[in-house]
Amino acid sequence: MHKQIEKLEQDFRAFQNNPVNFVEFFSGIWLPMITLPKDEVKLFYQQIYDWATLHKTRDPKIFGLATYSLGFLSFHSEQYEEGLNFFAEAEKLFAEQNDADGIALCKSSYGGTYRALGNIDLALNYLNDAFHQLSKTHAYPVFENVCSYGLSSIYLEIKSYEKAIESFKSCIHISEKYNNQNFEMLSYASMGEAFHHLKQDDVALDYFNKALEIGTSTGNKNFYSRVLTDIAGFYFDRNELEKAMRYNEEALTIREELKIFGGAITNLLLLARICKQQNDADAAITALNKAMIIAEQIKVKPKIFGIHLLLSEIYESKKEVQLSFEHYKLYHRISEEVNKEDGEKKLQRSEMIFEAEQTKKENVIIKAQKLQIEKTNIALQRTIDELTLSKINRKAKTITTTIAIALFIAEDSLLHFVIAPHTHENFFISLAANFAVVFCIKPIEKLVEHYLLHRFIKVEKEYSVINS
């Protein structure tokens, strides 16, 4: 088992004994998962979810976070439909608790998912909403940073370079605030890319160097390899091939070590282009054949047809026409397959997004209906309580009146047969006795009312026990 997984399981055992700092615990398990073996992480996350399910009545927020965690794992395993379902379920749980930060957490992942599925408009909407909430409360600092970086990256993708630069500056500020060097490093590298597109290479180089400086100290090789790849591409564009080769080979070594296969193919393709520029066709072919083996193993057709196209060009430069033609035919056939599959995937993704949005709308309607029912029930209960109290009050007044009449009769008999024979001035005594009876009526009424109410509550409890 991976050592970091063992450490996470130790943290989970400690958390089970004292599930107080649940936000800190869950924030600590999310990002490490990105670089760990998915099968081992899935087992670990399932343990947390099973435990949270057993305690969901006692700790509903922890159950919501555990549900969200399974969605987060699905997203990073590229199982987007499954991820959206988990996020929708988690959002529903957070909504029941009026947890705005939990809802924002789900929105941040909706944004990331829709960005991966190619729906930039929805991605921007959800990331903006999530960032607005999380930047107010700072409840989940990691995802405040994630939202900021996600928004900045979208601006870079849509070639809004000036806006992207300003947004990355904000992301760097947040990263420094929370001491998150990974996002700080990535933001500096992305700013370098933006300035490169704006033809400001001197400024771009400064930002790339800042990213490198942070990368050498963070120890996160996964993110660092991406920075190295970006810099290699920068130098390749400038035709500084030796520097491009050096940074690209360093990135490739890291990605092969970490088994980041898609990233390794990217570096092998760049290596082939560099070798082609250096007129070393054999080295380029070796790199591409290695890339082909990996691409076919992980079944990534877009990478495969790109490799065939580059091989076709290189064999053409070597005057090996037959091989060039064979690779070009494979490029053409596989690219057509990919275009067809992409069309089907776009349709599936559109349907998936539509269903996910419908589910969220239905959840909003259900929540509103539930709130209305609760308000109606409260109003009805108040009416019932008022009627019950009114009925008890009337009954108490009737009983009190009966008691008062009995007291007046008793008082009159007492004065006439006991006190009257011993005094001739019994008028004031009679008056005082009558006043005493009158003043006793209100306390007696309160006591009777209290007794009747207590008796009513006791009967209601006994009735509910019998029915249950």
Side-chain angles (χ1 to χ4, degrees):
M1 181 181 286
H2 199 283
K3 287 184 179 179
Q4 199 167 357
I5 292 283
E6 290 180 358
K7 173 66 170 60
L8 291 173
E9 290 195 334
Q10 288 175 6
D11 292 342
F12 177 50
R13 285 192 289 271
F15 173 73
Q16 286 175 290
N17 295 327
N18 185 28
V20 178
N21 297 323
F22 51 86
V23 171
E24 183 180 337
F25 169 74
F26 279 100
S27 297
I29 68 169
W30 284 326
L31 290 188
M33 179 274 296
I34 297 171
T35 57
L36 293 173
K38 295 295 183 290
D39 291 340
E40 291 183 26
V41 173
K42 188 172 184 178
L43 290 172
F44 171 62
Y45 273 39
Q46 191 64 47
Q47 287 179 44
I48 297 172
Y49 181 78
D50 291 342
W51 177 82
T53 303
L54 291 173
H55 300 89
K56 65 181 179 181
T57 304
R58 185 192 71 186
D59 296 311
K61 186 160 184 174
I62 291 175
F63 181 60
L65 289 169
T67 304
Y68 170 81
S69 298
L70 290 179
F72 190 72
L73 174 62
S74 298
F75 169 75
H76 284 286
S77 302
E78 297 183 2
Q79 297 172 344
Y80 299 122
E81 186 172 5
E82 184 179 84
L84 286 171
N85 289 334
F86 279 123
F87 296 144
E89 184 60 32
E91 185 183 24
K92 184 179 175 183
L93 293 168
F94 290 132
E96 288 172 355
Q97 302 163 55
N98 295 317
D99 183 355
D101 292 319
I103 293 169
L105 196 63
C106 295
K107 285 184 175 182
S108 72
S109 292
Y110 283 135
T113 304
Y114 291 144
R115 180 187 167 200
L117 294 174
N119 195 317
I120 298 300
D121 291 338
L122 275 175
L124 279 170
N125 286 339
Y126 280 111
L127 287 171
N128 270 316
D129 285 351
F131 183 65
H132 178 72
Q133 173 65 25
L134 296 177
S135 61
K136 283 193 304 183
T137 62
H138 312 298
Y140 296 97
V142 170
F143 280 85
E144 184 182 341
N145 221 162
V146 166
C147 289
S148 177
Y149 182 74
L151 287 166
S152 307
S153 298
I154 288 174
Y155 299 140
L156 184 60
E157 286 172 13
I158 62 176
K159 298 181 172 41
S160 181
Y161 298 123
E162 289 84 357
K163 192 168 185 178
I165 288 165
E166 290 306 310
S167 189
F168 279 122
K169 284 179 181 178
S170 175
C171 186
I172 288 168
H173 175 73
I174 295 169
S175 303
E176 290 173 342
K177 177 181 176 182
Y178 296 125
N179 194 30
N180 192 328
Q181 290 185 308
N182 291 323
F183 281 116
E184 186 181 358
M185 171 179 61
L186 292 175
S187 296
Y188 276 124
S190 296
M191 285 180 71
E193 186 180 345
F195 277 111
H196 174 53
H197 285 296
L198 291 171
K199 311 298 183 185
Q200 300 180 41
D201 283 0
D202 290 342
V203 180
L205 195 54
D206 287 339
Y207 283 109
F208 281 131
N209 286 332
K210 285 180 181 178
L212 281 175
E213 186 180 341
I214 296 168
T216 53
S217 64
T218 60
N220 191 316
K221 291 183 177 181
N222 180 21
F223 293 138
Y224 185 52
S225 67
R226 179 179 162 183
V227 172
L228 292 169
T229 303
D230 288 345
I231 295 172
F234 167 77
Y235 280 118
F236 179 75
D237 287 347
R238 288 166 57 90
N239 205 34
E240 297 183 44
L241 300 182
E242 288 185 8
K243 289 182 179 179
M245 178 72 82
R246 177 159 51 88
Y247 285 111
N248 188 61
E249 285 184 338
E250 188 178 353
L252 177 59
T253 301
I254 292 170
R255 286 174 165 176
E256 286 179 335
E257 177 191 335
L258 297 178
K259 297 181 180 179
I260 306 171
F261 299 118
I265 293 170
T266 300
N267 291 116
L268 286 167
L269 284 166
L270 181 55
L271 174 60
R273 290 191 180 96
I274 294 169
C275 292
K276 183 186 174 188
Q277 287 286 89
Q278 293 174 330
N279 297 316
D280 190 349
D282 291 336
I285 290 168
T286 301
L288 289 171
N289 285 334
K290 187 176 179 181
M292 183 71 78
I293 292 168
I294 300 171
E296 287 177 342
Q297 283 176 345
I298 63 175
K299 299 177 181 178
V300 184
K301 285 187 178 180
K303 299 278 189 184
I304 293 172
F305 78 69
I307 294 168
H308 280 300
L309 179 62
L310 197 48
L311 280 167
S312 174
E313 292 172 357
I314 291 170
Y315 279 119
E316 184 182 15
S317 69
K318 289 185 70 178
K319 310 299 182 184
E320 297 184 30
V321 179
Q322 184 61 36
L323 281 173
S324 175
F325 182 60
E326 286 177 7
H327 282 291
Y328 187 77
K329 282 197 299 183
L330 287 168
Y331 154 73
H332 187 69
R333 179 173 63 79
I334 297 170
S335 64
E336 279 191 343
E337 289 175 7
V338 169
N339 288 333
K340 183 181 176 183
E341 289 170 5
D342 279 350
E344 292 171 354
K345 284 179 182 176
K346 282 179 182 177
L347 180 60
Q348 290 173 355
R349 288 170 178 177
S350 297
E351 290 173 350
M352 185 197 311
I353 290 168
F354 176 76
E355 288 173 5
E357 290 300 297
Q358 285 297 111
T359 300
K360 290 199 287 295
K361 286 176 183 176
E362 287 168 7
N363 286 341
V364 170
I365 293 169
I366 291 168
K367 184 184 176 184
Q369 289 173 339
K370 185 179 177 183
L371 186 62
Q372 186 59 44
I373 290 168
E374 287 175 355
K375 286 181 178 178
T376 304
N377 287 340
I378 290 168
L380 183 60
Q381 189 61 50
R382 282 177 180 170
T383 303
I384 292 169
D385 291 345
E386 287 171 4
L387 290 171
T388 302
L389 288 173
S390 178
K391 184 178 178 182
I392 288 172
N393 187 258
R394 286 198 306 273
K395 193 171 183 180
K397 285 183 184 295
T398 303
I399 293 171
T400 304
T401 301
T402 304
I403 293 171
I405 292 169
L407 285 174
F408 276 120
I409 293 170
E411 175 260 339
D412 190 59
S413 299
L414 183 67
L415 289 175
H416 182 73
F417 293 106
V418 179
I419 297 175
H422 302 287
T423 178
H424 300 290
E425 299 176 357
N426 61 353
F427 171 74
F428 291 107
I429 294 173
S430 177
L431 185 64
N434 286 333
F435 269 118
V437 172
V438 170
F439 282 121
C440 285
I441 290 173
K442 199 64 180 175
I444 290 170
E445 184 182 336
K446 290 290 182 187
L447 286 170
V448 171
E449 193 175 312
H450 177 75
Y451 168 76
L452 291 173
L453 186 61
H454 180 74
R455 187 169 175 274
F456 173 79
I457 292 169
K458 184 180 178 183
V459 170
E460 284 291 306
K461 283 184 179 177
E462 290 174 353
Y463 181 75
S464 64
V465 169
I466 291 167
N467 284 332
S468 63

